[in-house]
Amino acid sequence: MEIDQHKSMKMTPQRIAIMKYLDGNVTHPSAADIYGSLRGEFPTMSLATVYNTMEILKEQGRVVELSIDPAKKRFDPNVGPHHHLICTQCSKVVDIFTEFPLGLTEDEKHGFKIVGNHVDFYGICGDCAAAEKERS
Ligand code: ZN
Ligand code: MN
């Protein structure tokens, strides 16, 4: 993520910290996760600041909002095409960079000009499976 002066977003130390936190971050954090990670360093930071900054970054196309859980928006600083593996137990999200052959027939396209696709795979991650095994 390029941390530059952008005309539609005033760069403050808090916003720079949020962008640095997101740079290369593959955990797909929620606003609450970001806030929780940074408030130690920035005691005056509010959750509203994080929400607000994420909204601007989203508008600028610098993060993508994931629709996995509407009650807890998650963000992905990797805006390039990729897919996700999602753990239904701990909500871990793992990136998949394989290009799947998802060609649609003209009929299936319903007149759309296709510009992209995204596949979510659901399952139980290795950690959750191991924890479950231990409990039983
Ligand atoms: Zn899991
Ligand atoms: Mn991702």
Side-chain angles (χ1 to χ4, degrees):
M1 182 173 294
E2 228 174 283
I3 297 162
D4 59 355
Q5 201 72 33
H6 207 282
K7 44 183 180 308
S8 55
M9 181 162 75
K10 212 183 190 179
M11 293 307 285
T12 63
Q14 295 191 357
R15 283 189 167 159
I16 291 167
I18 291 170
M19 291 172 76
K20 280 190 177 154
Y21 175 81
L22 289 169
D23 191 33
N25 189 318
V26 294
T27 65
H28 307 83
S30 66
D33 295 331
I34 298 166
Y35 173 66
S37 296
L38 295 176
R39 72 176 162 189
E41 197 185 333
F42 296 92
T44 59
M45 185 183 281
S46 68
L47 188 53
T49 300
V50 179
Y51 276 124
N52 187 278
T53 303
M54 295 317 292
E55 214 44 52
I56 295 168
L57 290 174
K58 196 178 83 182
E59 277 167 27
Q60 293 178 349
R62 301 164 95 162
V63 297
V64 174
E65 187 184 302
L66 307 185
S67 54
I68 301 162
D69 181 358
K72 187 179 175 239
K73 286 182 194 169
R74 306 264 299 254
F75 296 96
D76 196 340
N78 184 347
V79 298
H82 66 283
H83 309 287
H84 287 142
L85 273 169
I86 300 159
C87 178
T88 54
Q89 293 198 356
C90 69
S91 300
K92 182 188 294 167
V93 180
V94 176
D95 293 325
I96 303 285
F97 294 98
T98 309
E99 275 186 48
F100 302 104
L102 292 170
L104 297 177
T105 64
E106 284 310 313
D107 247 19
E108 288 165 337
K109 281 180 192 168
H110 294 272
F112 279 52
K113 181 183 180 292
I114 308 298
V115 294
N117 61 53
H118 177 82
V119 181
D120 286 334
F121 292 88
Y122 295 92
I124 295 164
C125 76
D127 291 341
C128 287
E132 195 151 296
K133 208 171 172 188
E134 221 158 87
R135 272 197 304 273
S136 64

